[in-house]
Amino acid sequence: QISDAVVVARILNATLVVPELDHKSYWKDNSDFVNIFDVDWFISYLAKDVTVVKRVPDKFMRSMEKPPYTMRVPRKSPPEYYLDQVLPILKRRHVLQLTKFDYRLANNIDEDLQKLRCRSNFHALRFTEPIQALGQKLVKKMRQMANRFMAVHLRLEPDMLAFSGCYIGGGDKERYELREIRKRWETLPDIDAVGERRRGKCPLTPHEVGLMLRALGFENDAYIYVASGEIYGGEETLEPLKDLFPNLYTKEILANEDLKPFLPFSSCLAAIDYIVCDGSDVFVTNNNGNMAKILAGRRRYMGHKRTIRPNAKRLSPLLTQRDQMDWDTFAEKVKAVQRGFMGEPDEMRAGRGEFHEYPYSCICEKPASDIIAAGNNGGGDGDHHQSQQFKENEGLRKISNEEEPVLGAKEDE
């Protein structure tokens, strides 16, 4: 939302006021932009692209006869809509507030504007020092226990499950509780939870996540960081994943007293999770939400660090039939359906998915000659990449954020 607001300001040749964050959502988080992001860095980094100010200048406030005009543009509006429908209002009223700004800019836009999205997303948005310090401290703690670790973004918060209409096996009690939460959204239709899961619209349960990872070749001694808000069902919900992977950690376990100042602010807690997920060697998404998409995009942009996204639509029948086949058959089928969802560089192609997840305009192909030269350089990058590979069993392709990438971030972007 923030990076798109920057791009819209550029399209309109307007000054951007530091965005206001939502304080009325389910989480009721009072955090402002300045509590989460380094606002001075944001303003200075974008200075050559867009003028950004912390608040509406006094001269405009004094000259306004009415409060700022507020409007909501249609979803995925192209730049032409902003020029034809929004700019005339901005010229007339001088100050304009665009509300509910999720996905309000088209996915496919001019390449220069796409690159501005990348500059905003991957460079201008930097967390505040306290958030950054704690996030890096947790990454360091995970590294002290294991040279390499995975991060799993579970997405099993009560509101997410209720909003999606999904069910994770908690019986009538779960159905009643999630139905009550769902009433907060008056316009949501009745949803068939079984049908949604069959169509791949639901997150995997912790047990299903664990089965998928074991089938992909990860041993039970792997270290896993679980990124999540309040998990519906708490420790009981996590237990099946912990049975498969005993070395399971969360920010609550690792941070102890350091986490207390952030506990009232869900956005800050999410930012801490984001940093640890970004620092992991393998990132596993679950129910491809906004945070997972942004992280997957960042990991591609920063050198194709491994991101595994469950192919939920094709995994669902496999997981349902798990008891009807031996383990080797199940594992081979899981590997087959996960092809194209394992974070390979060749998954990046123009037009696939949301640009924030696949930032193709900001990434260029690395010349084959560079790859050969790196591989032949004794003691250089080739040896480094080889030594850092993530060892797995049964012929599964090695998973590594240090493999020589086919694609690499453009140095000048």
Side-chain angles (χ1 to χ4, degrees):
Q1 296 177 42
I2 294 169
S3 62
D4 284 358
V6 171
V7 175
V8 167
R10 171 73 167 263
I11 292 168
L12 298 174
N13 193 26
T15 294
L16 175 68
V17 181
V18 168
E20 293 183 4
L21 306 186
D22 176 23
H23 294 160
K24 299 178 182 178
S25 67
Y26 173 87
W27 295 104
K28 294 181 173 58
D29 187 343
N30 292 323
S31 299
D32 287 315
F33 188 101
V34 68
N35 303 123
I36 302 168
F37 300 108
D38 183 336
V39 66
D40 292 326
W41 171 262
F42 180 73
I43 292 171
S44 62
Y45 192 91
L46 293 171
K48 292 183 180 180
D49 295 299
V50 174
T51 300
V52 183
V53 295
K54 294 181 181 179
R55 59 189 180 88
V56 178
D58 290 339
K59 65 176 182 179
F60 285 102
M61 294 298 290
R62 287 194 298 267
S63 66
M64 285 192 297
E65 298 176 359
K66 302 176 183 178
Y69 187 85
T70 299
M71 67 180 294
R72 183 181 299 180
V73 299
R75 285 174 65 85
K76 300 191 175 181
S77 295
E80 292 75 19
Y81 179 90
Y82 287 94
L83 292 172
D84 295 341
Q85 304 296 325
V86 178
L87 184 56
I89 298 173
L90 177 61
K91 286 183 173 179
R92 188 168 65 250
R93 299 296 297 268
H94 305 296
V95 179
L96 177 63
Q97 184 178 29
L98 301 179
T99 63
K100 189 70 176 173
F101 207 68
D102 55 325
Y103 295 101
R104 303 293 152 172
L105 181 63
N107 190 47
N108 296 316
I109 54 178
D110 180 81
E111 188 168 289
D112 285 341
L113 296 178
Q114 297 286 46
K115 291 178 181 179
L116 179 53
R117 264 178 166 157
C118 294
R119 288 197 291 278
S120 303
N121 232 345
F122 307 130
H123 298 284
L125 284 173
R126 188 167 73 179
F127 293 122
T128 61
E129 180 58 32
I131 291 175
Q132 191 70 33
L134 182 53
Q136 291 301 333
K137 183 176 181 179
L138 301 194
V139 172
K140 185 177 179 180
K141 283 191 174 184
M142 291 297 297
R143 292 251 179 257
Q144 287 172 341
M145 293 184 284
N147 286 332
R148 304 178 70 78
F149 73 94
M150 277 189 290
V152 178
H153 187 218
L154 277 182
R155 287 300 279 135
L156 292 178
E157 295 86 358
D159 71 311
M160 198 290 301
L161 288 175
F163 187 85
S164 66
C166 293
Y167 170 74
I168 58 171
D172 290 340
K173 179 175 180 289
E174 177 188 325
R175 290 190 179 93
Y176 171 77
E177 290 176 347
L178 296 183
R179 190 164 57 242
E180 289 300 301
I181 296 174
R182 191 172 172 79
K183 290 178 181 179
R184 299 178 185 186
W185 296 281
E186 297 176 358
T187 59
L188 292 182
D190 291 333
I191 290 180
D192 173 20
V194 176
E196 288 296 283
R197 182 164 293 278
R198 191 181 300 119
R199 288 187 289 273
K201 300 298 184 181
C202 292
L204 303 186
T205 67
H207 187 223
E208 290 170 339
V209 170
L211 288 174
M212 178 191 73
L213 292 174
R214 292 298 299 273
L216 290 174
F218 292 96
E219 299 286 3
N220 68 347
D221 60 352
Y223 279 72
I224 295 181
Y225 177 88
V226 174
S228 179
E230 175 196 356
I231 295 175
Y232 180 79
E235 287 297 318
E236 187 177 344
T237 299
L238 270 181
E239 200 60 38
L241 179 58
K242 198 165 187 176
D243 288 342
L244 290 167
F245 293 95
N247 299 314
L248 209 65
Y249 295 87
T250 63
K251 57 184 173 295
E252 288 79 10
I253 294 172
L254 295 173
N256 300 320
E257 295 294 313
D258 292 339
L259 199 62
K260 279 189 175 180
F262 303 102
L263 290 177
F265 308 105
S266 59
S267 294
C268 294
L269 295 174
I272 292 166
D273 273 342
Y274 184 100
I275 293 168
V276 185
C277 290
D278 186 42
S280 67
D281 300 287
V282 178
F283 173 54
V284 183
T285 74
N286 194 14
N287 189 261
N288 207 25
N290 289 334
M291 177 168 162
K293 287 178 180 178
I294 294 291
L295 263 166
R298 177 179 174 83
R299 290 169 69 86
R300 288 185 171 98
Y301 179 82
M302 294 298 180
H304 286 283
K305 296 171 70 177
R306 178 75 62 179
T307 297
I308 298 174
R309 177 161 64 93
N311 184 357
K313 187 174 183 178
R314 293 188 63 192
L315 280 175
S316 180
L318 267 181
L319 291 163
T320 302
Q321 300 159 15
R322 163 69 193 97
D323 295 334
Q324 301 171 26
M325 64 187 86
D326 62 65
W327 175 257
D328 289 342
T329 301
F330 173 74
E332 286 306 314
K333 288 180 178 291
V334 169
K335 291 171 189 175
V337 303
Q338 279 299 119
R339 291 192 188 107
F341 292 81
M342 296 293 291
E344 300 289 348
D346 60 10
E347 292 174 19
M348 173 79 74
R349 58 182 182 271
R352 179 178 183 178
E354 296 292 335
F355 182 78
H356 301 88
E357 185 177 5
Y358 299 97
Y360 47 85
S361 296
C362 306
I363 297 176
C364 61
E365 187 171 349
K366 191 165 189 174
S369 58
D370 289 357
I371 297 173
I372 293 170
N376 292 335
N377 182 13
D381 287 347
D383 293 337
H384 175 67
H385 292 312
Q386 187 176 18
S387 68
Q388 290 294 322
Q389 287 175 335
F390 192 81
K391 296 177 182 178
E392 297 183 30
N393 62 358
E394 298 182 359
L396 177 65
R397 178 170 177 167
K398 291 175 181 176
I399 291 178
S400 171
N401 69 311
E402 298 289 352
E403 289 175 338
E404 188 67 50
V406 177
L407 307 177
K410 286 184 178 179
E411 292 182 359
D412 61 342
E413 295 298 341

